[in-house]
């Protein structure tokens, strides 16, 4: 029996900030489109952030296209304020988000792509925008002995607040902003050890995430102008010295050690033979693009990414598939609120051109 199949000009997969930004530009060009989102509610990955999370840039630097984020109570927006903004944003523009829909597979069917959800619903289209983010694909490194470790393990993707760790010996693994921020609050209720592969890089106390956006913008300009970026010192993932992290430094807990060589049943062992016991490990080791729905098209490369053309947003092997919001390889700062706009605009410009030329 044939499942019911809807036909639309564009299917956007993912209803987080990237998918909504694509929707903003799509609604102005008169093509039919849907945004399919696996979550039960609006806000994408922000729904799963920890409770104390505040953005590292003010509202004006945390907006997606069109309607800017309203002024917030404190200088840096809270998780709740970001969720409220994104929920109101999709309502304001009446974006056609359908949820929950988990897209499982995309396949080619003649001149069309067939988009299949896990509940049997199907869409056919000539243009797919994949904006599925990274939250559904947390990354944990492999370690000898990890299977035998008897303690609690949690990835930052699922961390919400420090109370469950009260009184425990907790290892926090990872040198980025997640590691620093989770360490800052867990260290108030538990005995923490911070483990990082490289020496953590801290921004100066008197700057915030805007410095990181400035770096990303310079990279983007250089790419547009076909020159080497005039890259200021430091990377895009440097730790922003938000007040809880400054406080952790004052308390003396913002000190990291190198990773162990193996796990044991009760903890970890280092190269010099020394051992430490831990009750819990919190992995703040990042994410990979959530691209399993594109595996059937054979697009995912050995690095778990998709080969994109010079514009960074279009698949080379399957030009009817656009990628949006996955971070550096897919556009400098494209995995941030303010950074995704220029790439969403570019994706929709290309789709417009494609349809003007009888796309597909
Ligand atoms: P997501 O928000 O993950 O949205 C993707 C959506 O696609 C989700 O709803 C998901 O359920 C859905 N989906 C996935 N797979 C499928 C599928 N197969 N079918 C259907 N739907 C699917 N950025 C800033 O600008 N400022 C900050 O201060 C900042 N702080 C951050 C702090 C932390 C701790 C983290 C982790 C990130 C931070 N970011 C910040 C980065 C960034 O803004 C977020 O990662 C952002 O959520 C990425 O948005 P997105 O729309 O690309 O992906």
């Amino acid at each position: 029996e044939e499942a019911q199949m809807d036909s639309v000009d564009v299917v956007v997969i993912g209803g987080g900030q990237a998918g909504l930004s694509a929707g903003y530009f799509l609604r102005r060009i008169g093509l039919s489109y849907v945004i399919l989102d696996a979550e039960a509610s609006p806000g994408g990955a922000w729904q799963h952030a920890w409770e104390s999370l505040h953005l590292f840039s003010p509202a004006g630097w945390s907006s997606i296209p069109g309607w800017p984020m309203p002024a917030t109570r404190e200088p840096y927006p809270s998780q709740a304020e970001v969720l409220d903004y994104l929920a109101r944003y999709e309502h304001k523009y009446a974006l056609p988000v359908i949820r929950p829909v988990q897209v499982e597979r995309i396949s080619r069917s003649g001149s069309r792509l067939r988009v299949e959800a896990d509940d049997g619903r199907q869409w056919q289209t000539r243009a797919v925008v994949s904006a599925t983010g990274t939250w559904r694909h947390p990354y944990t490194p492999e370690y000898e002995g990890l299977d035998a470790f008897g303690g609690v393990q949690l990835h930052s993707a699922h961390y919400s607040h420090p109370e469950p760790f009260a009184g425990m010996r907790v290892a926090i693994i990872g040198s980025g902003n997640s590691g620093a921020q989770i360490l800052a609050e867990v260290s108030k209720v538990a005995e923490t050890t911070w483990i990082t592969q490289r020496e953590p890089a801290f921004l100066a106390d008197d700057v915030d995430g805007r410095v990181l956006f400035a770096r990303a913008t310079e990279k983007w300009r250089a790419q547009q102008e076909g020159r080497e970026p005039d890259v200021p010192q430091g990377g895009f993932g440097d730790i922003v010295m938000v007040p809880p992290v400054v406080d952790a430094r004052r308390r003396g807990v913002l000190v990291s050690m190198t990773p162990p060589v193996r796990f044991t049943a009760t903890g970890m062992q280092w190269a010099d033979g020394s051992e430490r016991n831990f009750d819990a490990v919190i992995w703040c080791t990042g994410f990979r693009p959530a691209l399993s729905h594109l595996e059937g098209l054979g697009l995912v490369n050995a690095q778990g990414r998709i080969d994109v053309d010079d514009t960074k947003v279009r698949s080379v092997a399957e030009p009817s598939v656009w990628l949006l919001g996955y971070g550096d390889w897919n556009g400098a700062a494209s995995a941030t609120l303010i950074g995704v706009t220029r790439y969403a605009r570019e994706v929709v410009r290309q789709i417009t051109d494609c349809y003007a030329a009888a796309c597909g």
Side-chain angles (χ1 to χ4, degrees), residues 14 16-18 37-39 44-46 50 55-56 101 103 136 335-337:
Q17 64 203 33
D37 186 42
E39 301 300 314
W46 293 111
W50 50 91
L55 299 191
F56 50 53
V101 179
V103 172
R136 283 177 176 259
T336 64
L337 286 154

Side-chain angles (χ1 to χ4, degrees), residues 13-20 36-39 41 43-50 53-57 61-62 86 99 101-104 131-136 156 177-178 181 213 287 290-293 324-326 333-340:
I13 304 169
Q17 64 203 33
L20 300 189
L36 309 178
D37 186 42
E39 301 300 314
S41 330
W46 293 111
Q47 294 167 86
H48 306 285
W50 50 91
L53 183 90
H54 281 70
L55 299 191
F56 50 53
S57 314
W61 289 74
S62 306
L86 293 176
R99 64 167 66 91
V101 179
Q102 167 87 36
V103 172
E104 206 150 68
T132 50
T134 58
W135 181 78
R136 283 177 176 259
S156 69
N177 278 293
S178 306
Q181 288 187 26
F213 291 127
F287 298 83
L291 297 172
S292 59
H293 56 293
L324 181 63
Y326 295 100
S334 62
T336 64
L337 286 154
I338 201 172
V340 75

Side-chain angles (χ1 to χ4, degrees), residues 43 62 104-105 116 157 161 199 256 269 278 282 291 296 308 347 356:
S62 306
E104 206 150 68
R105 212 159 72 93
E116 293 171 56
H161 50 89
E199 200 52 43
S256 74
Q269 188 181 54
F278 292 105
I282 305 177
L291 297 172
V308 287
V347 164

Side-chain angles (χ1 to χ4, degrees), residues 246-308:
V246 171
D247 179 63
R249 184 181 60 197
R250 190 186 52 73
R251 285 182 282 121
V253 299
L254 201 63
V255 183
S256 74
M257 61 187 295
T258 56
V261 286
R262 67 181 62 82
F263 276 69
T264 65
T266 54
M268 305 174 195
Q269 188 181 54
W270 275 262
D272 64 4
S274 64
E275 290 191 24
R276 284 194 190 198
N277 289 332
F278 292 105
D279 305 303
V281 172
I282 305 177
W283 298 100
C284 301
T285 38
F287 298 83
R288 299 288 183 263
L291 297 172
S292 59
H293 56 293
L294 293 170
E295 274 164 15
L297 285 172
L299 301 186
V300 184
N301 66 24
Q303 287 83 49
R305 299 173 180 173
I306 289 175
D307 296 327
V308 287

